[in-house]
Amino acid sequence: MASSTERDADRAAAETAVADSGRLLSTAMILFHTSLSKKVGLGPTDEKVLELVQRHRNVSPRQLAELTGLAKNSITDVLDRLARRGFVTRQPDPADGRKVIVVAADEGIARIATHFAGLMGRLADLNAAFSPEELRVVAEYQRRAAEIQEDEARRLAAD
């Protein structure tokens, strides 16, 4: 049986490994999305706002401002760029015609999707090396870590 000191050292090593791998993944993601954004003629912020539009479907500019922590006028500028390049459309809100919702344009999404094929295939191969339970643990950790990071991003934007 391991001593308390050995368990503490093992936990510290595991936490360091998680922190290190998180930084590696974060940097790799930023570099990938920066390259992807350039490839399709967007800025990195534009591409991530587009991802939020896709994920949340029929989202308002106000909701996007809240989700990103960006000022409403900054979101308007991003949406203008995305609309000019054919990635989103603005439509009347079916629940309240005075308001606008933002919808991802299928043809714009298709232009981006072609660049994800290699990444998604390789990630599918990686996933195959792990059990469903292991994947659920990874997914839960990533989801909770993302919530923390989103909260901290909003805190920084508010300061």
Side-chain angles (χ1 to χ4, degrees):
M1 183 169 197
S3 71
S4 174
T5 303
E6 290 169 328
R7 284 191 307 274
D8 290 348
D10 187 45
R11 176 151 193 103
E15 289 177 357
T16 297
V18 167
D20 290 347
S21 66
R23 282 190 293 278
L24 286 171
L25 182 58
S26 174
T27 299
M29 278 190 209
I30 288 170
L31 294 174
F32 174 84
H33 284 283
T34 299
S35 294
L36 172 66
S37 297
K38 286 181 185 175
K39 192 81 156 170
V40 297
L42 298 175
T45 301
D46 301 345
E47 193 244 331
K48 295 318 288 179
V49 168
L50 177 58
E51 190 271 325
L52 289 170
V53 169
Q54 266 191 286
R55 185 175 355 141
H56 292 281
R57 300 188 188 275
N58 303 334
V59 64
S60 72
R62 170 184 230 138
Q63 290 168 313
L64 287 169
E66 291 168 3
L67 288 167
T68 62
L70 295 172
K72 193 169 182 311
N73 63 331
S74 296
I75 282 294
T76 299
D77 292 343
V78 169
L79 294 175
D80 288 346
R81 287 191 299 272
L82 289 170
R84 274 194 309 273
R85 290 178 176 93
F87 289 100
V88 300
T89 60
R90 291 179 175 105
Q91 301 174 1
D93 185 334
D96 183 348
R98 297 169 297 168
K99 295 181 181 178
V100 171
I101 57 170
V102 182
V103 178
D106 291 340
E107 54 279 356
I109 298 308
R111 287 195 328 252
I112 289 179
T114 62
H115 300 290
F116 273 99
L119 173 65
M120 298 313 289
R122 291 180 70 190
L123 289 175
D125 292 344
L126 176 61
N127 289 345
F130 295 88
S131 72
E133 182 56 33
E134 289 170 324
L135 291 172
R136 281 189 282 276
V137 170
V138 170
E140 177 66 9
Y141 181 88
Q142 287 180 336
R143 185 190 61 73
R144 291 169 67 181
E147 287 174 358
I148 291 167
Q149 195 160 13
E150 288 169 351
D151 287 346
E152 289 299 308
R154 282 189 287 276
R155 184 186 61 76
L156 287 171
D159 287 348

